[in-house]
Coordinates of all heavy atoms in Angstrom, one line a residue:
S553 N 0.8 -1.2 0.0 CA 0.0 0.0 0.0 C 0.8 1.3 0.0 O 0.4 2.3 -0.4 CB -0.9 0.0 1.2 OG -0.2 0.1 2.4
Y554 N 2.1 1.1 0.5 CA 3.0 2.3 0.5 C 4.0 2.3 -0.7 O 4.9 3.1 -0.7 CB 3.7 2.4 1.8 CG 2.9 3.0 2.9 CD1 2.0 2.2 3.7 CD2 2.9 4.3 3.2 CE1 1.2 2.7 4.7 CE2 2.1 4.9 4.2 CZ 1.2 4.0 5.0 OH 0.5 4.6 5.9
G555 N 3.9 1.3 -1.5 CA 4.8 1.1 -2.6 C 6.2 0.9 -2.2 O 7.2 1.3 -2.9
L556 N 6.4 0.1 -1.2 CA 7.7 -0.2 -0.6 C 8.1 -1.7 -0.8 O 7.2 -2.6 -0.9 CB 7.8 0.1 0.9 CG 7.5 1.6 1.2 CD1 7.4 1.7 2.7 CD2 8.6 2.5 0.7
T557 N 9.3 -2.0 -0.9 CA 9.8 -3.4 -0.9 C 10.2 -3.9 0.4 O 10.2 -5.1 0.7 CB 10.9 -3.6 -1.9 OG1 12.0 -2.7 -1.6 CG2 10.5 -3.3 -3.4
E558 N 10.6 -3.0 1.3 CA 11.0 -3.4 2.6 C 10.8 -2.2 3.6 O 10.9 -1.0 3.2 CB 12.4 -3.9 2.7 CG 13.5 -2.9 2.3 CD 14.9 -3.4 2.5 OE1 15.1 -4.1 3.6 OE2 15.7 -3.2 1.6
L559 N 10.6 -2.5 4.8 CA 10.5 -1.5 5.9 C 10.7 -2.2 7.2 O 10.2 -3.2 7.5 CB 9.0 -0.9 5.9 CG 8.8 0.3 6.8 CD1 9.6 1.5 6.5 CD2 7.3 0.6 6.8
S560 N 11.7 -1.6 8.0 CA 12.0 -2.3 9.2 C 12.3 -1.2 10.3 O 12.6 0.0 10.0 CB 13.2 -3.2 9.0 OG 14.3 -2.4 8.6
Y561 N 12.2 -1.7 11.5 CA 12.4 -0.8 12.7 C 13.8 0.0 12.6 O 14.8 -0.6 12.3 CB 12.5 -1.7 13.9 CG 12.7 -1.0 15.2 CD1 11.9 0.1 15.6 CD2 13.8 -1.3 16.1 CE1 12.1 0.7 16.8 CE2 14.0 -0.7 17.3 CZ 13.1 0.3 17.7 OH 13.3 1.0 18.9
G562 N 13.7 1.3 12.7 CA 14.8 2.1 12.5 C 14.4 3.6 12.6 O 13.3 3.9 12.9
K563 N 15.3 4.5 12.3 CA 15.1 5.9 12.4 C 14.0 6.5 11.6 O 13.4 7.5 12.0 CB 16.4 6.7 12.1 CG 17.6 6.5 13.1 CD 18.7 7.4 12.8 CE 19.8 7.3 13.9 NZ 20.8 8.3 13.8
E564 N 13.6 5.8 10.6 CA 12.5 6.3 9.8 C 11.2 5.3 9.9 O 10.3 5.4 9.1 CB 12.9 6.4 8.3 CG 13.9 7.5 8.1 CD 14.0 8.0 6.7 OE1 13.6 7.2 5.8 OE2 14.5 9.1 6.5
Y565 N 11.3 4.5 10.9 CA 10.1 3.6 11.2 C 10.1 3.3 12.6 O 10.6 2.3 13.1 CB 10.2 2.3 10.3 CG 9.0 1.4 10.5 CD1 7.7 1.8 10.2 CD2 9.2 0.2 11.1 CE1 6.6 0.9 10.4 CE2 8.1 -0.7 11.3 CZ 6.9 -0.3 11.0 OH 5.8 -1.2 11.2
I566 N 9.5 4.2 13.4 CA 9.4 4.0 14.9 C 8.0 3.7 15.3 O 7.7 3.4 16.5 CB 9.9 5.3 15.6 CG1 9.1 6.5 15.2 CG2 11.4 5.4 15.3 CD1 9.5 7.8 16.0
L567 N 7.0 3.8 14.4 CA 5.6 3.5 14.7 C 5.0 2.7 13.6 O 5.4 2.9 12.4 CB 4.8 4.8 14.9 CG 5.0 5.6 16.2 CD1 4.4 7.0 16.1 CD2 4.3 4.8 17.4
P568 N 4.1 1.8 13.9 CA 3.4 1.1 12.8 C 2.6 2.0 11.9 O 2.3 3.2 12.3 CB 2.4 0.1 13.5 CG 2.9 0.1 14.9 CD 3.6 1.4 15.2
K569 N 2.3 1.6 10.7 CA 1.5 2.4 9.7 C 0.0 2.2 10.1 O -0.4 1.1 10.6 CB 1.8 1.9 8.3 CG 3.2 2.1 7.8 CD 3.6 3.5 7.8 CE 5.0 3.7 7.1 NZ 5.4 5.1 7.1
P570 N -0.8 3.2 9.8 CA -2.2 3.1 10.2 C -3.0 1.9 9.6 O -4.0 1.5 10.2 CB -2.8 4.4 9.7 CG -1.6 5.4 9.7 CD -0.4 4.5 9.3
N571 N -2.6 1.4 8.5 CA -3.3 0.3 7.8 C -2.7 -1.0 8.2 O -3.0 -2.0 7.5 CB -3.3 0.5 6.3 CG -1.9 0.5 5.7 OD1 -0.9 0.7 6.4 ND2 -1.9 0.2 4.4
D572 N -1.9 -1.1 9.2 CA -1.3 -2.4 9.6 C -2.4 -3.3 10.2 O -3.0 -3.0 11.2 CB -0.2 -2.1 10.7 CG 0.7 -3.3 11.0 OD1 0.1 -4.4 11.0 OD2 1.9 -3.1 11.1
P573 N -2.6 -4.4 9.6 CA -3.7 -5.3 10.1 C -3.5 -5.9 11.5 O -4.4 -6.5 12.1 CB -3.8 -6.4 9.0 CG -2.4 -6.4 8.4 CD -1.9 -5.0 8.4
R574 N -2.2 -5.8 12.0 CA -1.9 -6.4 13.3 C -2.5 -5.6 14.4 O -2.7 -6.1 15.5 CB -0.4 -6.5 13.5 CG 0.3 -7.5 12.5 CD 1.8 -7.4 12.6 NE 2.3 -6.0 12.3 CZ 3.5 -5.6 12.6 NH1 4.4 -6.5 13.2 NH2 3.9 -4.4 12.3
L575 N -2.8 -4.3 14.2 CA -3.2 -3.4 15.2 C -4.5 -3.9 15.9 O -4.6 -3.9 17.1 CB -3.5 -2.0 14.6 CG -2.2 -1.2 14.2 CD1 -2.6 -0.1 13.3 CD2 -1.5 -0.7 15.5
I576 N -5.5 -4.4 15.1 CA -6.8 -4.8 15.7 C -6.6 -6.0 16.6 O -7.4 -6.2 17.5 CB -7.8 -5.0 14.6 CG1 -9.2 -5.2 15.2 CG2 -7.4 -6.1 13.7 CD1 -9.7 -4.0 16.0
N577 N -5.6 -6.8 16.3 CA -5.4 -8.0 17.2 C -4.6 -7.8 18.4 O -4.8 -8.4 19.5 CB -4.7 -9.1 16.3 CG -5.6 -9.5 15.1 OD1 -6.8 -9.7 15.3 ND2 -5.0 -9.7 14.0
V578 N -3.6 -6.9 18.3 CA -2.6 -6.7 19.4 C -3.1 -5.6 20.4 O -3.0 -5.9 21.6 CB -1.3 -6.3 18.8 CG1 -0.3 -5.9 19.9 CG2 -0.7 -7.5 17.9
I579 N -3.5 -4.4 19.9 CA -3.8 -3.3 20.9 C -5.0 -3.6 21.8 O -4.9 -3.5 23.0 CB -3.9 -2.0 20.1 CG1 -2.7 -1.7 19.2 CG2 -4.0 -0.9 21.2 CD1 -1.4 -1.8 19.9
P580 N -6.1 -4.0 21.2 CA -7.3 -4.3 22.0 C -7.0 -5.4 23.1 O -7.4 -5.3 24.2 CB -8.4 -4.8 21.1 CG -8.0 -4.1 19.8 CD -6.5 -4.1 19.8
Q581 N -6.3 -6.4 22.7 CA -5.9 -7.5 23.6 C -5.1 -7.0 24.8 O -5.4 -7.3 26.0 CB -5.2 -8.6 22.9 CG -4.9 -9.8 23.8 CD -4.2 -10.9 23.0 OE1 -4.0 -10.9 21.8 NE2 -3.8 -12.0 23.8
A582 N -4.2 -6.1 24.5 CA -3.3 -5.5 25.6 C -4.2 -4.7 26.5 O -4.0 -4.7 27.7 CB -2.2 -4.7 25.0
I583 N -5.1 -3.9 25.9 CA -6.0 -3.0 26.7 C -6.9 -3.9 27.6 O -7.1 -3.6 28.8 CB -6.8 -2.1 25.8 CG1 -6.0 -1.1 25.1 CG2 -8.0 -1.5 26.5 CD1 -5.5 0.0 26.0
S584 N -7.5 -4.9 27.0 CA -8.4 -5.8 27.8 C -7.7 -6.4 28.9 O -8.2 -6.5 30.1 CB -9.0 -6.8 26.9 OG -9.9 -6.3 25.9
Q585 N -6.5 -6.9 28.7 CA -5.8 -7.6 29.7 C -5.4 -6.6 30.9 O -5.5 -7.0 32.0 CB -4.5 -8.2 29.1 CG -3.8 -9.1 30.1 CD -4.6 -10.3 30.6 OE1 -5.3 -10.9 29.8 NE2 -4.5 -10.7 31.8
A586 N -5.0 -5.4 30.5 CA -4.7 -4.4 31.5 C -5.9 -4.0 32.3 O -5.8 -3.8 33.5 CB -4.0 -3.2 30.9
A587 N -7.0 -4.0 31.7 CA -8.3 -3.6 32.4 C -8.6 -4.7 33.4 O -9.0 -4.4 34.5 CB -9.4 -3.4 31.4
I588 N -8.5 -6.0 33.0 CA -8.7 -7.1 33.9 C -7.8 -7.1 35.0 O -8.2 -7.2 36.2 CB -8.6 -8.4 33.1 CG1 -9.7 -8.5 32.1 CG2 -8.7 -9.6 34.0 CD1 -9.6 -9.7 31.1
E589 N -6.5 -6.9 34.8 CA -5.5 -6.9 35.8 C -5.6 -5.8 36.8 O -5.2 -5.9 38.0 CB -4.1 -7.0 35.2 CG -3.8 -8.3 34.5 CD -2.5 -8.3 33.7 OE1 -1.8 -7.2 33.8 OE2 -2.1 -9.3 33.1
S590 N -6.1 -4.6 36.3 CA -6.2 -3.4 37.2 C -7.6 -3.3 37.8 O -7.8 -2.4 38.5 CB -5.9 -2.2 36.4 OG -6.8 -2.0 35.3
G591 N -8.4 -4.3 37.6 CA -9.7 -4.4 38.3 C -10.8 -3.5 37.8 O -11.8 -3.3 38.5

């Protein structure tokens, strides 16, 4: 979607891209778990 052949953690990639499909699986799970653990 960004017309790239590679992209990796470094000075020009410190945050995921908004269309990263992993976000919906990873962030909500972390939030839910923290909510459970913090009562």
Side-chain angles (χ1 to χ4, degrees):
S553 67
Y554 281 86
L556 300 171
T557 56
E558 63 176 315
L559 186 63
S560 60
Y561 179 56
K563 289 189 174 185
E564 294 196 340
Y565 180 66
I566 59 174
L567 285 166
K569 299 295 186 182
N571 64 341
D572 193 320
R574 298 173 298 169
L575 289 162
I576 189 60
N577 297 316
V578 173
I579 309 303
Q581 184 178 356
I583 290 289
S584 294
Q585 189 62 39
I588 292 167
E589 292 175 359
S590 61

